[in-house]
Amino acid sequence: MANASQSPSQNTTTRPRISFLGCGYLGTTYAVCFAELGYEVIGYDVDAAKIESLNTGVLPIHEPGLPELLKKNLETGRLRFTTDVQSVADFADVHFICVGTPQRKGEHRADLSYIETAVVDLSQHLSRKVLIVGKSTVPVGTATWVQELVDRHAPEGLGVEVGWSPEFLQESNAMHDVLRPNRIVYAAQSEWASQLLKDVHRGILELAAVEDREVPVVETDLATAELVKVAANAFLATKISFINAMADLSEAAGADVVDLARAIGYDQRIGNKFLRAGIGFGGGCLPKDIRALSARAGELGVGESFRFLDEVDAVNTRRRSHTVRAVAELAGRSSGPNGPDLSGVRIAYLGATFKPDTDDIRDSPALDIARRLRSARADVVVYDPEGLENAQGFAPELSFVKTLAEAVAGADVVCAMVPWEEFRTLDPEALGQQVAERRILDGMNAFDPVQWRKHGWSYQGIGR
Ligand SMILES: NC(=O)C1=CN([C@@H]2O[C@H](COP(=O)(O)OP(=O)(O)OC[C@H]3O[C@@H](n4cnc5c(N)ncnc54)[C@H](O)[C@@H]3O)[C@@H](O)[C@H]2O)C=CC1
Ligand SMILES: O=C(O)[C@H]1O[C@H](OP(=O)(O)OP(=O)(O)OC[C@H]2O[C@@H](n3ccc(=O)[nH]c3=O)[C@H](O)[C@@H]2O)[C@H](O)[C@@H](O)[C@@H]1O
């Protein structure tokens, strides 16, 4: 294995050494998985507590399978984490930027300040030619700006280059998506950088070959690489809002959106994925990414073509008030101009995260709806298998309990909001014996209404 003084050109004959700047949901998964693929990896973050936790083998997030892989790869010595940017600059040939790009406060545009800080810090500590590759989701044009930052802040004459390689992993399936991606997309500005990117991804392609799979590789220009990412997320968001609009229509017309989605999904041109109607999409990516795309399109003079994304966003946000009204109706409370008054209604609230199998509560529709119900004076008792700690910090006005049984005991309404396995497998009869009233809002559209009604439940799904 190469040592820190070697140049990338010597290193690339084997495997470049890699750093991941930003050890959140994206960077940590990458650092661990690339060590697993045999690369020497360093993860860097400004959050000292996070780095200490990672170095002691404790994963600060909930991501299935990742804790075991973290421990295993720390033991191999190929993986370590640091807050020391100098050691990162000295160590790696390729630096991946994985810091956050949240929505700016009060605006739809992305906040690129974390990228700026990370890139400037790294650049100032470099002493040889390296490749810096953006992986964070960004507005188109960011890569060119990052190259300018590097040119301004790296020591003169090093020739540090910037490339881009967007990421498509889904939380809860992150490890699989990194080790076995359905495509690799990257952009380089020179033959040298292109070769380095091939070397970086070789481990993924070798694993695919062993497993007799193929991973398509799309090499393109910087702007296209940036756009591919936001285009994919915008398309997925549009699909979800489309089916949620159909849910509204189904409810108004007495149809069932679950059957409808199944029926259109058999058409392979449409496909059956991302057609689950419900409480809408959330998370740290889809909502902020469609807003940033729309804002960037406006800046580039093509905003009109993306107005539909504002509507995708609006349809999505309306799910939340719609769901509050549905709960009120189930509880037999009418809604006035200020919405419903749910005082005295005890709600067993199942789910706080933005989707199952994660502890991530960023822009969680479930948590937002819980807060709205609380504002309507309901007594909201929340249970979530992994998201309680994060949710409690974010919404202290809600009551949180550590078991499903505590949440449902004596409830007037059960709101099943996030399709965790523990909730999807609920038995209507057993649950019925624990609640005060058999009323269920199935925000997951996961239950068979006929079965639940047979057991005496007032069942309300979404769009059915
Ligand atoms: N979470 C996901 O599933 C995916 C996220 N993305 C994109 O990846 C980026 C990161 O997302 P997440 O990992 O979810 O965010 P995150 O918030 O979990 O992690 C970001 C990390 O960057 C660190 N950081 C902030 N400033 C830093 C600096 N100057 N130097 C080093 N580290 C710094 C933070 O302390 C934090 O640990 C975003 O652009 C997101 O849109 C892309 C695909 C999937
Ligand atoms: O850019 C990102 O960070 C990532 O964003 C999403 O991944 P993720 O945020 O982990 O979550 P998804 O599984 O896409 O779910 C997003 C939201 O849509 C909701 N959803 C999903 C599918 C569906 O049919 N209906 C629906 O309401 C989920 O409950 C969740 O709130 C994309 O799926 C990833 O490809 C992308 O890399």
Side-chain angles (χ1 to χ4, degrees):
M1 210 45 87
N3 63 48
S5 64
Q6 282 183 301
S7 74
S9 53
Q10 284 166 286
N11 245 344
T12 52
T13 53
T14 53
R15 287 184 179 212
R17 302 204 295 194
I18 309 176
S19 89
F20 294 95
L21 310 177
C23 294
Y25 287 89
L26 174 70
T28 300
T29 308
Y30 254 88
V32 172
C33 289
F34 268 67
E36 174 70 10
L37 289 169
Y39 292 87
E40 277 196 83
V41 171
I42 193 162
Y44 165 70
D45 204 289
V46 288
D47 184 336
K50 204 176 262 191
I51 291 299
E52 194 189 334
S53 172
L54 287 165
N55 270 329
T56 50
V58 179
L59 193 71
I61 54 170
H62 176 77
E63 182 58 49
L66 207 55
E68 296 79 5
L69 221 59
L70 169 66
K71 282 204 188 82
K72 178 182 159 195
N73 282 285
L74 285 171
E75 279 162 20
T76 65
R78 283 195 300 271
L79 175 64
R80 68 199 160 91
F81 297 89
T82 185
T83 53
D84 174 21
V85 71
Q86 186 63 62
S87 62
V88 174
D90 291 342
F91 174 83
D93 307 310
V94 180
H95 300 272
F96 281 101
I97 305 168
C98 301
V99 299
T101 49
Q103 188 179 333
R104 288 192 208 198
K105 278 209 167 65
E107 290 185 52
H108 278 188
R109 289 189 298 160
D111 177 356
L112 299 179
S113 62
Y114 301 97
I115 293 207
E116 182 169 9
T117 307
V119 167
V120 170
D121 273 359
L122 174 69
S123 299
Q124 288 170 340
H125 288 85
L126 291 170
S127 56
R128 64 196 162 98
K129 179 167 180 167
V130 294
L131 181 63
I132 298 178
V133 184
K135 210 158 234 321
S136 302
T137 303
V138 293
V140 61
T142 302
T144 306
W145 168 72
V146 169
Q147 181 70 65
E148 286 163 14
L149 281 179
V150 171
D151 293 345
R152 224 175 311 137
H153 293 280
E156 230 180 298
L158 290 187
V160 174
E161 287 188 30
V162 171
W164 215 263
S165 180
E167 174 51 37
F168 308 99
L169 73 82
Q170 275 178 282
E171 288 173 30
S172 78
N173 202 41
M175 217 172 74
H176 174 272
D177 289 346
V178 172
L179 292 172
R180 298 172 176 82
N182 52 23
R183 80 280 211 192
I184 292 169
V185 179
Y186 57 71
Q189 299 186 83
S190 70
E191 268 307 310
W192 170 82
S194 172
Q195 184 56 47
L196 211 41
L197 280 165
K198 277 191 189 77
D199 293 337
V200 162
H201 291 99
R202 181 167 297 131
I204 290 175
L205 299 178
E206 284 173 358
L207 176 65
V210 168
E211 296 176 353
D212 203 18
R213 285 180 294 110
E214 276 188 30
V215 181
V217 177
V218 180
E219 183 164 4
T220 182
D221 56 87
L222 292 174
T224 307
E226 293 168 312
L227 272 182
V228 166
K229 170 65 199 183
V230 285
N233 274 5
F235 195 84
L236 293 171
T238 303
K239 223 175 158 187
I240 299 170
S241 275
F242 174 82
I243 202 65
N244 280 328
M246 291 309 300
D248 283 341
L249 186 53
S250 299
E251 251 170 54
D256 184 332
V257 77
V258 176
D259 287 350
L260 181 147
R262 197 154 53 92
I264 62 172
Y266 284 125
D267 183 335
Q268 288 186 5
R269 294 171 302 172
I270 296 172
N272 58 9
K273 304 225 168 84
F274 274 65
L275 278 185
R276 182 175 50 78
I279 59 177
F281 58 80
C285 294
L286 258 47
K288 74 151 170 67
D289 289 349
I290 56 168
R291 291 173 196 147
L293 171 54
S294 182
R296 186 65 182 139
E299 286 169 359
L300 294 174
V302 291
E304 275 190 12
S305 302
F306 286 89
R307 282 219 190 112
F308 75 94
L309 276 187
D310 300 338
E311 207 42 55
V312 165
D313 198 8
V315 167
N316 191 55
T317 309
R318 276 200 298 272
R319 307 313 298 156
R320 302 178 183 191
S321 46
H322 176 95
T323 308
V324 170
R325 272 199 308 279
V327 174
E329 271 169 36
L330 256 184
R333 301 288 173 93
S334 57
S335 294
N338 281 336
D341 180 352
L342 292 170
S343 41
V345 178
R346 188 185 192 286
I347 297 177
Y349 202 86
L350 309 185
T353 51
F354 85 98
K355 66 173 189 178
D357 299 316
T358 178
D359 61 344
D360 195 346
I361 55 146
R362 287 179 289 182
D363 207 345
S364 161
L367 200 51
D368 186 40
I369 293 165
R371 300 185 85 179
R372 289 171 188 236
L373 290 167
R374 178 71 201 122
S375 295
R377 288 181 283 281
D379 175 14
V380 185
V381 185
V382 182
Y383 166 68
D384 186 282
E386 293 291 342
L388 285 180
E389 206 181 311
N390 287 341
Q392 212 154 3
F394 182 73
E397 75 273 25
L398 303 173
S399 310
F400 294 92
V401 291
K402 291 205 165 79
T403 62
L404 178 65
E406 287 170 87
V408 298
D412 299 308
V413 179
V414 175
C415 290
M417 307 304 265
V418 183
W420 288 91
E421 171 81 11
E422 191 179 356
F423 306 155
R424 281 189 280 112
T425 51
L426 278 171
D427 174 62
E429 191 45 47
L431 186 65
Q433 285 165 17
Q434 300 170 65
V435 296
E437 300 285 342
R438 295 191 176 202
R439 301 181 185 125
I440 187 154
L441 189 285
D442 177 12
M444 328 180 290
N445 272 351
F447 298 133
D448 177 358
V450 176
Q451 274 301 318
W452 284 72
R453 287 184 183 129
K454 214 162 79 187
H455 287 274
W457 286 82
S458 295
Y459 170 95
Q460 181 60 58
I462 307 277
R464 55 197 322 214

